[in-house]
Amino acid sequence: MVNIAVLGYGTVGSGVIEVLRLNGESISKRCGHDINVKYILDLRDFKGEPVENLIVHDYSVILNDPEVKIIVEVMGGVEPAYTFVKEAILKGKSVCTSNKELVAKHGAELLELSKAQKVNFLFEASVGGGIPIIRPLNQSLTADEIEEITGILNGTTNYILSKMSSDNADFDTALKEAQNMGYAERNPQADVEGYDACRKIAILSSLAFGMQVDFEDIYTEGITGITDTDVLYAKAMGASIKLLATSKKVGNHVYAMVAPMLIKPTHPLFSVNGVFNGIFVRGNVIGDVMFYGSGAGKLPTASAVVADVVDAAKHIGTNIMTFWSSKKLELRDVKAVEHRFFVRVAGCDDKARALVNEVFGEIEEVKVDGREEEYSFLTGFLSEAAFEEKADRIGKPLSRIRVMF
Ligand code: HSE
């Protein structure tokens, strides 16, 4: 039997208990050990609930119990999670976490520490909820040089954008629905401003390129600027708007960014709708690989956490090698990255058109019935810097969205 402790009895923590109860028998068979939850750390008491006897409020009880071999950290946030996890590793306990803030900020250090302590620091649930992506990058795709990772990594924003497109829902209503379903972060700004997706692509990039990608270095733009009108135009182009998190090798450099992008049905992520996440990986020998599934929610996330617990239990006394050096990867300045852009400008008279044509050269006009008072178009390929310079010359556009076709 392997004893574990769960830090935090919130959405994911209670999901972990439920998964172990629901599938305990088959999990034990696959693991070779029974998994026993000895403690749950939480500020609350949960009086009258089946977990009441497992609840402790003092972390030192868990830390100082040599019978506890694995800690499940599902509290979220950097502190006190970081301190608790570090102390656990130093005490010779493995840690399984769903905490993307913690992994993005301290992943390299905690992996190095766990290697030295011959324990494991596993974080499958930190990206893509229930979708296996960390383990594939760390184990199945190790024969490849990763050239690109592009993902829909935030379920809340994908749900909002999907609802705006399929039901003509407005932004706030769709966000409220996502919150009610338990997908959104406590502070939904982390979702809608792209910060959550940014941390997740930082984790994936660090694993893919084996060096520290600091999330602070990643250009990040959320979906708060996307309007119903933009969605109308996307539909008119047979496209949809997705919040994409990308990191890509160009020559010897890697660039990374999070931004809403227009994609067409030919793109593998086009059909990823609702709360689902999708992750597209391109390797230099395997080619293109896609991962798809529930990127948020209690049980899918708990499924990934429990799978990590099984892995940790199977590897007690042995460190599973993870290639993520703390050496910083200097990202390419996104200003040099080239895209096409979809642009809407106010005014559609001959003067406005002439100015756009003079500044942007050859463009492709996009028309939507009832929007005759504005001029909308697709540019050719331009660097971010060149686009900004041109956009300044025509006055502030009503909107501009990067285009992946
Ligand atoms: N708020 C996150 C999302 C939860 O919407 O994807 C999963 O990390």
Side-chain angles (χ1 to χ4, degrees), residues 312-340:
K314 281 158 101 176
H315 289 93
I316 287 177
T318 326
N319 175 257
I320 306 164
M321 169 69 186
T322 301
F323 180 46
W324 177 349
S325 140
S326 53
K327 195 162 171 257
K328 184 177 160 91
L329 181 66
E330 293 298 341
L331 295 175
R332 187 178 190 225
D333 186 350
V334 285
K335 286 215 181 312
V337 175
E338 290 194 349
H339 290 283
R340 295 182 76 197

Side-chain angles (χ1 to χ4, degrees), residues 143-164:
D144 272 73
E145 291 282 335
I146 303 298
E147 294 174 342
E148 177 182 349
I149 302 180
T150 297
I152 294 174
L153 299 179
N154 182 268
T156 301
T157 45
N158 203 44
Y159 182 85
I160 294 171
L161 292 171
S162 302
K163 281 277 168 185
M164 284 172 79

Side-chain angles (χ1 to χ4, degrees), residues 226-255:
I226 302 295
T227 63
D228 312 6
T229 312
D230 295 325
V231 173
L232 265 182
Y233 275 99
K235 282 186 185 171
M237 287 184 274
S240 67
I241 305 169
K242 303 283 188 193
L243 183 68
L244 298 187
T246 298
S247 79
K248 207 168 178 175
K249 228 181 193 167
V250 182
N252 290 327
H253 298 279
V254 173
Y255 81 83

Side-chain angles (χ1 to χ4, degrees), residues 55-258:
I55 298 284
V56 293
H57 303 305
D58 178 2
Y59 181 53
S60 66
V61 173
I62 295 170
L63 198 60
N64 295 322
D65 185 339
E67 284 189 353
V68 175
K69 300 292 182 206
I70 300 168
I71 304 278
V72 169
E73 186 281 301
V74 283
M75 300 185 297
V78 174
E79 280 297 352
Y82 170 62
T83 304
F84 287 180
V85 166
K86 201 167 168 178
E87 285 174 343
I89 294 171
L90 288 169
K91 282 273 186 186
K93 301 178 196 298
S94 286
V95 174
C96 307
T97 182
S98 59
N99 187 335
K100 55 245 163 166
E101 291 101 328
L102 173 71
V103 179
K105 193 153 179 64
H106 296 292
E109 179 204 347
L110 294 170
L111 280 168
E112 270 166 29
L113 203 59
S114 48
K115 191 174 174 193
Q117 293 294 110
K118 292 195 172 57
V119 296
N120 287 293
F121 177 62
L122 303 175
F123 44 90
E124 182 61 70
S126 64
V127 181
I131 307 171
I133 179 64
I134 304 292
R135 199 162 278 105
L137 281 177
N138 196 31
Q139 292 178 9
S140 325
L141 296 174
T142 46
D144 272 73
E145 291 282 335
I146 303 298
E147 294 174 342
E148 177 182 349
I149 302 180
T150 297
I152 294 174
L153 299 179
N154 182 268
T156 301
T157 45
N158 203 44
Y159 182 85
I160 294 171
L161 292 171
S162 302
K163 281 277 168 185
M164 284 172 79
S165 178
S166 62
D167 302 0
N168 299 326
D170 66 67
F171 189 98
D172 292 332
T173 313
L175 172 60
K176 275 208 183 79
E177 279 177 28
Q179 282 172 314
N180 291 341
M181 286 185 289
Y183 301 146
E185 297 298 303
R186 236 172 289 166
N187 175 4
Q189 259 205 329
D191 296 300
V192 297
E193 298 293 356
Y195 309 146
D196 178 74
C198 168
R199 276 154 184 79
K200 290 168 176 169
I201 195 69
I203 295 170
L204 295 184
S205 309
S206 299
L207 286 173
F209 303 113
M211 289 170 81
Q212 175 66 26
V213 174
D214 287 336
F215 64 86
E216 296 94 337
D217 293 347
I218 298 177
Y219 174 83
T220 299
E221 203 179 294
I223 63 163
T224 47
I226 302 295
T227 63
D228 312 6
T229 312
D230 295 325
V231 173
L232 265 182
Y233 275 99
K235 282 186 185 171
M237 287 184 274
S240 67
I241 305 169
K242 303 283 188 193
L243 183 68
L244 298 187
T246 298
S247 79
K248 207 168 178 175
K249 228 181 193 167
V250 182
N252 290 327
H253 298 279
V254 173
Y255 81 83
M257 74 189 299
V258 175

